[in-house]
């Protein structure tokens, strides 16, 4: 049982709340559930002290109601600074690589498929890949070999994968293809699917976006960052000013107020 400014939070309430706080063990889940209930109660008490009424819907979950209450309290009691144009431009200048269009490549491949768990199949696929790579380096048609040997649906298109951006293929394939030069990659690329022979037809590097194109995005990011910090500090103050019995609420280590 926990008392928050003379209001009791029962063990039953904590046990019911635990279902919303999955954790590595029972105790951790119980601690997180208790923290959530304590903070929810402090928000309710503060709203009552300020005569704040909250418009809620019957379909709102407890979490949604608590978030709405927190937003209203922050709006009432906390003066949130807004990011200036100068601050936004400074952030842009310090983080330019974040504001580029994604690089783009056009490529084709031949997949010699082999399960990662089958060493014999992997060895055979690698040997076949090296033989085909030798044939390609001597002028064999990539399209014809893809149609004959590739175990990818793209074989019907001569191995053409079309235009690819980062995130569209598995990481081990992407890492090597995007760092390669235009032309035939001189070694088979191993992935979880087998071995790939790849020809890069075209590369388009990511282009730097101008500040004007991303200013609103930066402003929104900086404002939300300030808001998160303000919310954490506000909750810390509510906890520090409260009379809480039955729970050792260590403000500096609580994940709810980071």
């Amino acid at each position: 049982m926990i008392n928050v400014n003379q209001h009791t939070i029962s063990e039953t309430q904590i046990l019911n709340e635990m279902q919303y706080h999955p954790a590595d063990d029972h105790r951790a889940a119980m601690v997180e559930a208790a923290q959530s209930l304590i903070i929810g109660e402090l928000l309710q008490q503060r709203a009552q002290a300020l005569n704040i009424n909250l418009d809620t819907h019957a379909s709102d979950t407890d979490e949604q109601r608590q978030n709405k209450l927190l937003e209203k309290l922050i709006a009432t009691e906390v003066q949130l600074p807004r990011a200036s144009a100068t601050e936004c431009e400074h952030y842009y200048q310090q983080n330019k690589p974040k504001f580029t269009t994604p690089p783009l490549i056009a490529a084709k491949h031949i997949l010699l498929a082999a399960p990662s768990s089958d060493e014999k199949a992997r060895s055979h696929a690698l040997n076949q890949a090296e033989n085909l790579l030798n044939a390609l380096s001597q002028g064999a048609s990539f399209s014809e070999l893809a149609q004959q040997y590739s175990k990818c649906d793209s074989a019907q298109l001569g191995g053409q994968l079309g235009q690819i951006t980062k995130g569209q293929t598995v990481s081990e394939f992407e890492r090597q293809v995007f760092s390669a030069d235009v032309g035939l990659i001189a070694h088979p690329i191993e992935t979880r699917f087998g071995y790939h022979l790849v020809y890069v037809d075209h590369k388009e590097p990511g282009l730097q976006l101008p500040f004007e194109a991303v200013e609103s995005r930066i402003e929104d990011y900086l404002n939300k960052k300030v808001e998160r910090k303000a919310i954490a500090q506000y909750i810390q103050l509510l906890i520090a000013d409260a009379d809480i019995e039955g729970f050792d609420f260590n403000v500096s280590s609580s994940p709810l107020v980071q």
Side-chain angles (χ1 to χ4, degrees), residues 128-184:
Q128 188 179 29
E130 289 173 340
N131 289 336
L132 291 178
L133 185 61
N134 183 57
L136 289 169
S137 65
Q138 294 181 18
S141 168
F142 197 104
S143 177
E144 291 178 4
L145 292 181
Q147 292 174 10
Q148 185 176 354
Y149 293 101
S150 183
K151 299 304 180 183
C152 176
D153 291 342
S154 64
Q156 300 174 15
L157 303 173
Q160 289 288 349
L161 295 172
Q163 293 184 334
I164 304 171
T165 59
K166 287 188 174 181
Q168 290 185 313
T169 62
V170 293
S171 59
E172 59 268 38
F173 183 87
E174 175 184 289
R175 185 167 51 250
Q176 297 199 51
V177 173
F178 274 86
S179 62
D181 295 327
V182 171
L184 179 66

Short mmCIF file of all heavy atoms in Angstrom, two decimals, residues 128-184:
data_model
loop_
_atom_site.label_atom_id
_atom_site.label_comp_id
_atom_site.label_asym_id
_atom_site.label_seq_id
_atom_site.Cartn_x
_atom_site.Cartn_y
_atom_site.Cartn_z
N GLN A 128 30.13 -21.72 -57.47
CA GLN A 128 29.39 -21.35 -58.68
C GLN A 128 29.46 -19.85 -58.92
O GLN A 128 29.62 -19.39 -60.07
CB GLN A 128 27.93 -21.81 -58.55
CG GLN A 128 27.12 -21.64 -59.83
CD GLN A 128 25.69 -22.14 -59.67
OE1 GLN A 128 25.14 -22.11 -58.57
NE2 GLN A 128 25.10 -22.59 -60.77
N ALA A 129 29.37 -19.06 -57.85
CA ALA A 129 29.43 -17.60 -57.98
C ALA A 129 30.78 -17.17 -58.53
O ALA A 129 30.86 -16.28 -59.39
CB ALA A 129 29.18 -16.96 -56.62
N GLU A 130 31.86 -17.79 -58.06
CA GLU A 130 33.19 -17.43 -58.54
C GLU A 130 33.37 -17.79 -60.01
O GLU A 130 33.98 -17.04 -60.78
CB GLU A 130 34.24 -18.11 -57.67
CG GLU A 130 34.31 -17.52 -56.26
CD GLU A 130 35.23 -18.29 -55.33
OE1 GLU A 130 35.51 -19.48 -55.64
OE2 GLU A 130 35.64 -17.72 -54.30
N ASN A 131 32.80 -18.93 -60.43
CA ASN A 131 32.88 -19.32 -61.84
C ASN A 131 32.11 -18.35 -62.72
O ASN A 131 32.57 -17.95 -63.81
CB ASN A 131 32.33 -20.74 -62.03
CG ASN A 131 33.26 -21.80 -61.44
OD1 ASN A 131 34.46 -21.57 -61.30
ND2 ASN A 131 32.70 -22.94 -61.09
N LEU A 132 30.92 -17.95 -62.28
CA LEU A 132 30.12 -17.00 -63.06
C LEU A 132 30.78 -15.63 -63.09
O LEU A 132 30.72 -14.92 -64.10
CB LEU A 132 28.71 -16.90 -62.48
CG LEU A 132 27.81 -18.14 -62.63
CD1 LEU A 132 26.46 -17.90 -61.97
CD2 LEU A 132 27.62 -18.50 -64.10
N LEU A 133 31.39 -15.24 -61.98
CA LEU A 133 32.08 -13.95 -61.93
C LEU A 133 33.22 -13.92 -62.94
O LEU A 133 33.44 -12.92 -63.63
CB LEU A 133 32.61 -13.69 -60.52
CG LEU A 133 33.25 -12.33 -60.27
CD1 LEU A 133 32.25 -11.20 -60.50
CD2 LEU A 133 33.80 -12.26 -58.85
N ASN A 134 33.91 -15.03 -63.05
CA ASN A 134 34.99 -15.13 -64.03
C ASN A 134 34.45 -15.00 -65.45
O ASN A 134 35.04 -14.31 -66.30
CB ASN A 134 35.72 -16.46 -63.86
CG ASN A 134 36.91 -16.60 -64.81
OD1 ASN A 134 37.81 -15.77 -64.82
ND2 ASN A 134 36.89 -17.65 -65.62
N ALA A 135 33.31 -15.64 -65.71
CA ALA A 135 32.69 -15.55 -67.03
C ALA A 135 32.25 -14.12 -67.33
O ALA A 135 32.42 -13.61 -68.45
CB ALA A 135 31.49 -16.50 -67.11
N LEU A 136 31.71 -13.44 -66.34
CA LEU A 136 31.28 -12.05 -66.53
C LEU A 136 32.45 -11.14 -66.81
O LEU A 136 32.37 -10.23 -67.64
CB LEU A 136 30.51 -11.57 -65.28
CG LEU A 136 29.12 -12.18 -65.06
CD1 LEU A 136 28.61 -11.83 -63.67
CD2 LEU A 136 28.14 -11.68 -66.12
N SER A 137 33.55 -11.37 -66.11
CA SER A 137 34.73 -10.53 -66.31
C SER A 137 35.34 -10.72 -67.70
O SER A 137 36.09 -9.87 -68.19
CB SER A 137 35.78 -10.83 -65.24
OG SER A 137 36.26 -12.16 -65.36
N GLN A 138 34.99 -11.82 -68.35
CA GLN A 138 35.48 -12.10 -69.70
C GLN A 138 34.46 -11.72 -70.78
O GLN A 138 34.64 -12.04 -71.95
CB GLN A 138 35.86 -13.58 -69.83
CG GLN A 138 37.04 -13.97 -68.96
CD GLN A 138 37.42 -15.43 -69.11
OE1 GLN A 138 37.04 -16.09 -70.07
NE2 GLN A 138 38.18 -15.96 -68.15
N GLY A 139 33.36 -11.05 -70.33
CA GLY A 139 32.43 -10.51 -71.30
C GLY A 139 31.12 -11.23 -71.46
O GLY A 139 30.30 -10.88 -72.33
N ALA A 140 30.83 -12.24 -70.63
CA ALA A 140 29.55 -12.93 -70.73
C ALA A 140 28.41 -11.98 -70.39
O ALA A 140 28.58 -10.99 -69.67
CB ALA A 140 29.54 -14.12 -69.76
N SER A 141 27.24 -12.26 -70.93
CA SER A 141 26.07 -11.40 -70.72
C SER A 141 25.51 -11.58 -69.30
O SER A 141 25.13 -12.69 -68.91
CB SER A 141 24.98 -11.74 -71.74
OG SER A 141 23.76 -11.12 -71.39
N PHE A 142 25.47 -10.48 -68.56
CA PHE A 142 24.92 -10.53 -67.20
C PHE A 142 23.45 -10.95 -67.24
O PHE A 142 23.00 -11.78 -66.45
CB PHE A 142 25.07 -9.17 -66.52
CG PHE A 142 24.91 -9.20 -65.03
CD1 PHE A 142 26.02 -9.12 -64.20
CD2 PHE A 142 23.66 -9.33 -64.43
CE1 PHE A 142 25.89 -9.16 -62.81
CE2 PHE A 142 23.52 -9.38 -63.06
CZ PHE A 142 24.64 -9.30 -62.24
N SER A 143 22.70 -10.37 -68.17
CA SER A 143 21.28 -10.65 -68.29
C SER A 143 21.02 -12.13 -68.55
O SER A 143 20.15 -12.75 -67.93
CB SER A 143 20.66 -9.80 -69.40
OG SER A 143 19.30 -10.10 -69.56
N GLU A 144 21.79 -12.71 -69.46
CA GLU A 144 21.58 -14.12 -69.81
C GLU A 144 21.94 -15.05 -68.65
O GLU A 144 21.22 -16.02 -68.37
CB GLU A 144 22.41 -14.48 -71.05
CG GLU A 144 21.90 -13.81 -72.33
CD GLU A 144 22.77 -14.14 -73.53
OE1 GLU A 144 23.71 -14.95 -73.38
OE2 GLU A 144 22.50 -13.60 -74.62
N LEU A 145 23.03 -14.75 -67.95
CA LEU A 145 23.41 -15.57 -66.82
C LEU A 145 22.40 -15.44 -65.67
O LEU A 145 22.14 -16.42 -64.96
CB LEU A 145 24.81 -15.20 -66.33
CG LEU A 145 25.97 -15.54 -67.28
CD1 LEU A 145 27.31 -15.14 -66.66
CD2 LEU A 145 25.97 -17.02 -67.64
N ALA A 146 21.87 -14.23 -65.49
CA ALA A 146 20.86 -14.04 -64.45
C ALA A 146 19.62 -14.88 -64.75
O ALA A 146 19.06 -15.54 -63.86
CB ALA A 146 20.49 -12.57 -64.34
N GLN A 147 19.17 -14.85 -66.00
CA GLN A 147 18.00 -15.63 -66.38
C GLN A 147 18.23 -17.13 -66.19
O GLN A 147 17.31 -17.87 -65.84
CB GLN A 147 17.63 -15.33 -67.82
CG GLN A 147 17.10 -13.92 -68.05
CD GLN A 147 16.89 -13.61 -69.52
OE1 GLN A 147 16.96 -14.48 -70.37
NE2 GLN A 147 16.63 -12.35 -69.82
N GLN A 148 19.46 -17.56 -66.37
CA GLN A 148 19.77 -18.98 -66.30
C GLN A 148 20.02 -19.47 -64.88
O GLN A 148 19.60 -20.57 -64.50
CB GLN A 148 20.99 -19.29 -67.17
CG GLN A 148 21.33 -20.78 -67.25
CD GLN A 148 22.49 -21.05 -68.20
OE1 GLN A 148 22.99 -20.15 -68.89
NE2 GLN A 148 22.91 -22.31 -68.26
N TYR A 149 20.70 -18.64 -64.06
CA TYR A 149 21.17 -19.14 -62.77
C TYR A 149 20.55 -18.48 -61.53
O TYR A 149 20.53 -19.08 -60.46
CB TYR A 149 22.70 -18.96 -62.68
CG TYR A 149 23.47 -19.82 -63.63
CD1 TYR A 149 23.99 -19.27 -64.81
CD2 TYR A 149 23.69 -21.16 -63.37
CE1 TYR A 149 24.71 -20.06 -65.70
CE2 TYR A 149 24.41 -21.96 -64.25
CZ TYR A 149 24.91 -21.41 -65.42
OH TYR A 149 25.62 -22.19 -66.29
N SER A 150 20.07 -17.26 -61.65
CA SER A 150 19.61 -16.54 -60.46
C SER A 150 18.34 -17.14 -59.89
O SER A 150 17.41 -17.50 -60.61
CB SER A 150 19.38 -15.06 -60.78
OG SER A 150 19.01 -14.36 -59.60
N LYS A 151 18.29 -17.25 -58.56
CA LYS A 151 17.12 -17.77 -57.87
C LYS A 151 16.26 -16.66 -57.26
O LYS A 151 15.50 -16.88 -56.32
CB LYS A 151 17.56 -18.74 -56.76
CG LYS A 151 18.33 -19.94 -57.27
CD LYS A 151 17.55 -20.72 -58.32
CE LYS A 151 18.34 -21.93 -58.82
NZ LYS A 151 17.62 -22.67 -59.89
N CYS A 152 16.37 -15.49 -57.86
CA CYS A 152 15.54 -14.35 -57.45
C CYS A 152 14.50 -14.09 -58.53
O CYS A 152 14.72 -14.40 -59.71
CB CYS A 152 16.43 -13.11 -57.25
SG CYS A 152 15.54 -11.59 -56.87
N ASP A 153 13.34 -13.55 -58.14
CA ASP A 153 12.30 -13.22 -59.12
C ASP A 153 12.81 -12.27 -60.20
O ASP A 153 12.28 -12.25 -61.31
CB ASP A 153 11.09 -12.59 -58.42
CG ASP A 153 10.35 -13.58 -57.55
OD1 ASP A 153 10.54 -14.81 -57.74
OD2 ASP A 153 9.58 -13.15 -56.67
N SER A 154 13.85 -11.49 -59.85
CA SER A 154 14.39 -10.54 -60.81
C SER A 154 15.08 -11.23 -61.99
O SER A 154 15.43 -10.58 -62.98
CB SER A 154 15.39 -9.61 -60.13
OG SER A 154 16.52 -10.35 -59.65
N ALA A 155 15.28 -12.54 -61.91
CA ALA A 155 15.92 -13.28 -63.00
C ALA A 155 15.17 -13.09 -64.31
O ALA A 155 15.78 -13.01 -65.39
CB ALA A 155 16.01 -14.77 -62.65
N GLN A 156 13.85 -13.00 -64.22
CA GLN A 156 13.03 -12.82 -65.42
C GLN A 156 13.30 -11.48 -66.10
O GLN A 156 13.00 -11.30 -67.28
CB GLN A 156 11.54 -12.93 -65.06
CG GLN A 156 11.17 -14.27 -64.44
CD GLN A 156 9.74 -14.29 -63.95
OE1 GLN A 156 8.94 -13.43 -64.30
NE2 GLN A 156 9.40 -15.28 -63.14
N LEU A 157 13.87 -10.54 -65.34
CA LEU A 157 14.20 -9.22 -65.87
C LEU A 157 15.70 -9.07 -66.09
O LEU A 157 16.23 -7.96 -66.12
CB LEU A 157 13.72 -8.13 -64.90
CG LEU A 157 12.23 -8.13 -64.56
CD1 LEU A 157 11.94 -7.11 -63.47
CD2 LEU A 157 11.41 -7.84 -65.80
N GLY A 158 16.38 -10.19 -66.23
CA GLY A 158 17.83 -10.14 -66.41
C GLY A 158 18.58 -9.73 -65.17
O GLY A 158 19.71 -9.25 -65.25
N GLY A 159 17.95 -9.91 -64.00
CA GLY A 159 18.58 -9.57 -62.73
C GLY A 159 18.35 -8.14 -62.29
O GLY A 159 18.84 -7.74 -61.22
N GLN A 160 17.62 -7.35 -63.07
CA GLN A 160 17.43 -5.94 -62.74
C GLN A 160 16.63 -5.77 -61.45
O GLN A 160 15.54 -6.30 -61.29
CB GLN A 160 16.69 -5.23 -63.88
CG GLN A 160 17.52 -5.03 -65.14
CD GLN A 160 18.59 -3.97 -64.97
OE1 GLN A 160 18.61 -3.23 -64.00
NE2 GLN A 160 19.51 -3.91 -65.95
N LEU A 161 17.21 -5.01 -60.52
CA LEU A 161 16.54 -4.69 -59.26
C LEU A 161 15.87 -3.33 -59.30
O LEU A 161 15.15 -2.97 -58.37
CB LEU A 161 17.56 -4.72 -58.11
CG LEU A 161 18.18 -6.08 -57.80
CD1 LEU A 161 19.32 -5.92 -56.79
CD2 LEU A 161 17.14 -7.04 -57.29
N GLY A 162 16.13 -2.57 -60.37
CA GLY A 162 15.58 -1.22 -60.45
C GLY A 162 16.33 -0.28 -59.54
O GLY A 162 17.47 -0.53 -59.15
N GLN A 163 15.69 0.81 -59.16
CA GLN A 163 16.31 1.80 -58.28
C GLN A 163 16.16 1.36 -56.83
O GLN A 163 15.08 0.95 -56.40
CB GLN A 163 15.70 3.17 -58.50
CG GLN A 163 15.99 3.75 -59.88
CD GLN A 163 15.45 5.15 -60.04
OE1 GLN A 163 14.49 5.54 -59.38
NE2 GLN A 163 16.06 5.92 -60.94
N ILE A 164 17.23 1.48 -56.08
CA ILE A 164 17.24 1.04 -54.68
C ILE A 164 17.71 2.19 -53.80
O ILE A 164 18.68 2.87 -54.12
CB ILE A 164 18.21 -0.15 -54.49
CG1 ILE A 164 17.86 -1.31 -55.42
CG2 ILE A 164 18.18 -0.63 -53.04
CD1 ILE A 164 18.91 -2.40 -55.41
N THR A 165 17.02 2.38 -52.70
CA THR A 165 17.47 3.31 -51.67
C THR A 165 17.82 2.51 -50.42
O THR A 165 17.45 1.34 -50.30
CB THR A 165 16.40 4.36 -51.33
OG1 THR A 165 15.22 3.68 -50.86
CG2 THR A 165 16.06 5.21 -52.54
N LYS A 166 18.53 3.14 -49.50
CA LYS A 166 18.93 2.44 -48.29
C LYS A 166 17.70 2.01 -47.49
O LYS A 166 16.73 2.75 -47.38
CB LYS A 166 19.84 3.33 -47.44
CG LYS A 166 21.24 3.47 -48.04
CD LYS A 166 22.20 4.19 -47.10
CE LYS A 166 23.61 4.20 -47.68
NZ LYS A 166 24.57 4.86 -46.77
N GLY A 167 17.80 0.80 -46.95
CA GLY A 167 16.70 0.27 -46.16
C GLY A 167 15.81 -0.69 -46.93
O GLY A 167 14.96 -1.35 -46.34
N GLN A 168 16.00 -0.79 -48.23
CA GLN A 168 15.16 -1.66 -49.05
C GLN A 168 15.71 -3.08 -49.18
O GLN A 168 14.98 -3.98 -49.57
CB GLN A 168 14.98 -1.06 -50.45
CG GLN A 168 14.12 0.19 -50.48
CD GLN A 168 13.87 0.67 -51.90
OE1 GLN A 168 14.78 0.76 -52.71
NE2 GLN A 168 12.62 0.96 -52.21
N THR A 169 16.98 -3.27 -48.88
CA THR A 169 17.59 -4.59 -48.96
C THR A 169 18.22 -4.95 -47.62
O THR A 169 18.34 -4.10 -46.74
CB THR A 169 18.66 -4.64 -50.07
OG1 THR A 169 19.71 -3.72 -49.75
CG2 THR A 169 18.07 -4.28 -51.42
N VAL A 170 18.62 -6.21 -47.48
CA VAL A 170 19.24 -6.63 -46.21
C VAL A 170 20.57 -5.89 -46.02
O VAL A 170 21.23 -5.52 -46.98
CB VAL A 170 19.45 -8.16 -46.18
CG1 VAL A 170 18.12 -8.88 -46.16
CG2 VAL A 170 20.30 -8.64 -47.34
N SER A 171 20.94 -5.70 -44.76
CA SER A 171 22.07 -4.83 -44.43
C SER A 171 23.39 -5.30 -45.03
O SER A 171 24.19 -4.49 -45.50
CB SER A 171 22.21 -4.71 -42.91
OG SER A 171 22.41 -5.99 -42.32
N GLU A 172 23.61 -6.61 -45.07
CA GLU A 172 24.90 -7.10 -45.57
C GLU A 172 25.03 -6.88 -47.08
O GLU A 172 26.14 -6.72 -47.60
CB GLU A 172 25.10 -8.58 -45.21
CG GLU A 172 24.05 -9.53 -45.73
CD GLU A 172 22.91 -9.79 -44.76
OE1 GLU A 172 22.50 -8.83 -44.07
OE2 GLU A 172 22.43 -10.93 -44.71
N PHE A 173 23.90 -6.86 -47.77
CA PHE A 173 23.90 -6.55 -49.21
C PHE A 173 24.05 -5.05 -49.41
O PHE A 173 24.89 -4.58 -50.19
CB PHE A 173 22.59 -7.05 -49.82
CG PHE A 173 22.49 -6.86 -51.32
CD1 PHE A 173 22.98 -7.82 -52.19
CD2 PHE A 173 21.88 -5.73 -51.85
CE1 PHE A 173 22.87 -7.66 -53.57
CE2 PHE A 173 21.77 -5.56 -53.22
CZ PHE A 173 22.27 -6.53 -54.08
N GLU A 174 23.27 -4.29 -48.69
CA GLU A 174 23.26 -2.84 -48.82
C GLU A 174 24.63 -2.23 -48.52
O GLU A 174 25.11 -1.35 -49.25
CB GLU A 174 22.23 -2.25 -47.87
CG GLU A 174 22.19 -0.74 -47.81
CD GLU A 174 21.20 -0.24 -46.79
OE1 GLU A 174 19.99 -0.37 -47.03
OE2 GLU A 174 21.66 0.27 -45.75
N ARG A 175 25.26 -2.69 -47.47
CA ARG A 175 26.54 -2.12 -47.04
C ARG A 175 27.58 -2.17 -48.15
O ARG A 175 28.31 -1.19 -48.39
CB ARG A 175 27.03 -2.90 -45.81
CG ARG A 175 28.29 -2.35 -45.18
CD ARG A 175 28.52 -2.96 -43.81
NE ARG A 175 28.47 -4.42 -43.82
CZ ARG A 175 27.49 -5.13 -43.27
NH1 ARG A 175 26.47 -4.52 -42.69
NH2 ARG A 175 27.52 -6.45 -43.31
N GLN A 176 27.66 -3.28 -48.86
CA GLN A 176 28.68 -3.43 -49.90
C GLN A 176 28.27 -2.78 -51.22
O GLN A 176 29.09 -2.17 -51.91
CB GLN A 176 28.99 -4.91 -50.12
CG GLN A 176 29.58 -5.58 -48.90
CD GLN A 176 30.30 -6.87 -49.24
OE1 GLN A 176 31.14 -6.91 -50.12
NE2 GLN A 176 29.94 -7.93 -48.53
N VAL A 177 26.99 -2.88 -51.57
CA VAL A 177 26.55 -2.33 -52.85
C VAL A 177 26.61 -0.81 -52.86
O VAL A 177 27.06 -0.20 -53.84
CB VAL A 177 25.13 -2.83 -53.19
CG1 VAL A 177 24.58 -2.13 -54.43
CG2 VAL A 177 25.14 -4.34 -53.41
N PHE A 178 26.21 -0.17 -51.77
CA PHE A 178 26.21 1.29 -51.74
C PHE A 178 27.61 1.88 -51.63
O PHE A 178 27.81 3.06 -51.93
CB PHE A 178 25.33 1.80 -50.60
CG PHE A 178 23.87 1.93 -50.97
CD1 PHE A 178 23.03 0.84 -50.86
CD2 PHE A 178 23.36 3.11 -51.47
CE1 PHE A 178 21.70 0.93 -51.23
CE2 PHE A 178 22.03 3.22 -51.84
CZ PHE A 178 21.19 2.12 -51.73
N SER A 179 28.57 1.08 -51.21
CA SER A 179 29.95 1.57 -51.13
C SER A 179 30.75 1.23 -52.38
O SER A 179 31.91 1.65 -52.51
CB SER A 179 30.65 0.99 -49.89
OG SER A 179 30.73 -0.41 -49.98
N ALA A 180 30.16 0.48 -53.30
CA ALA A 180 30.87 0.06 -54.51
C ALA A 180 30.82 1.14 -55.59
O ALA A 180 29.95 2.01 -55.59
CB ALA A 180 30.26 -1.24 -55.04
N ASP A 181 31.77 1.05 -56.52
CA ASP A 181 31.76 1.93 -57.69
C ASP A 181 30.81 1.38 -58.75
O ASP A 181 30.38 0.22 -58.68
CB ASP A 181 33.17 2.05 -58.27
CG ASP A 181 34.14 2.73 -57.31
OD1 ASP A 181 33.69 3.62 -56.57
OD2 ASP A 181 35.32 2.34 -57.32
N VAL A 182 30.51 2.20 -59.75
CA VAL A 182 29.70 1.73 -60.87
C VAL A 182 30.47 0.64 -61.61
O VAL A 182 31.68 0.72 -61.81
CB VAL A 182 29.38 2.90 -61.82
CG1 VAL A 182 28.73 2.39 -63.11
CG2 VAL A 182 28.46 3.91 -61.13
N GLY A 183 29.74 -0.41 -61.99
CA GLY A 183 30.35 -1.52 -62.70
C GLY A 183 30.17 -2.83 -61.96
O GLY A 183 29.43 -2.91 -60.96
N LEU A 184 30.84 -3.86 -62.44
CA LEU A 184 30.75 -5.19 -61.83
C LEU A 184 31.54 -5.23 -60.53
O LEU A 184 32.74 -4.91 -60.52
CB LEU A 184 31.27 -6.24 -62.82
CG LEU A 184 31.27 -7.69 -62.34
CD1 LEU A 184 29.83 -8.18 -62.15
CD2 LEU A 184 32.02 -8.59 -63.32
#
